[in-house]
Amino acid sequence: MGGLRGPCLLGVALVLTGCAMFAPAPPRDQTNLCEIFREQPDWYDAARDAEQKWGTPIWTQMAFIERESSFRSHVKPPRQRLLGFIPWTRPSSAYGYAQAQDPVWGEYQAEAAGWFASRSDMDDATDFIGWYNARTRRMTGVSLHNPEHLYLAYHEGQGGYRRGSYRSKPGVRRAARQVAATAGRYRSQLAACEAEFRCDRFYQVWPFCRG
């Protein structure tokens, strides 16, 4: 058994590295939602499915992901430095497009997604954001059309949001305002191009489809 440990660990490392290698590259222009979806049209389908299932608008989902990961599928928080130079632990277990942490991701898997859901898959990331925001609305009353306060609850947790923990964190409040601004810009952009991405049947050709 011991003799197989090295090759097995190497195999796991190669599989994980390969997954990262074949993940979609982050969009070149992250300021324009139309260009993002033109590079990755499947992301539009993922976000639309999550919107129809949970109610969070497409532009808000994508604004969350832009803020959390800059559309990088396997990103983790940078390691802290011991004594200023020794790589040490990470500040949290956040991972993937939505930067979901282990405990809440486990809740999502148990309640909504199943154990094969992956934080590095856009379909699951958008579904997670939709699920989480639906829970925020249920627990706090925040509207699904209020990206600023949805993000505050996303960052602080629903309990922290209800306690107002964000009020003493100017950086978090600034980030939430930036998410809201991005969502607003994405919304305006998508209004001008969404018909392109609704052509999801082989016989449909933009601009003649209105799915």
Side-chain angles (χ1 to χ4, degrees), residues 50 53-54 100-119 121-132 135:
K53 183 177 180 181
W54 301 108
Q101 298 192 42
D102 290 350
V104 71
W105 185 258
E107 293 175 29
Y108 164 68
Q109 288 179 306
E111 182 178 320
W115 298 109
F116 292 103
S118 170
R119 285 175 281 186
D121 185 277
M122 184 62 77
D123 291 270
D124 295 323
T126 53
D127 193 68
F128 170 78
I129 291 170
W131 168 83
Y132 193 92
R135 190 166 76 165

Side-chain angles (χ1 to χ4, degrees), residues 63-82:
F64 273 39
I65 292 171
E66 189 276 335
R67 176 70 197 186
E68 290 295 291
S69 67
S70 298
F71 300 100
R72 292 173 293 168
S73 60
H74 290 72
V75 69
K76 299 178 181 180
R79 291 186 180 276
Q80 298 169 322
R81 297 283 174 171
L82 183 64

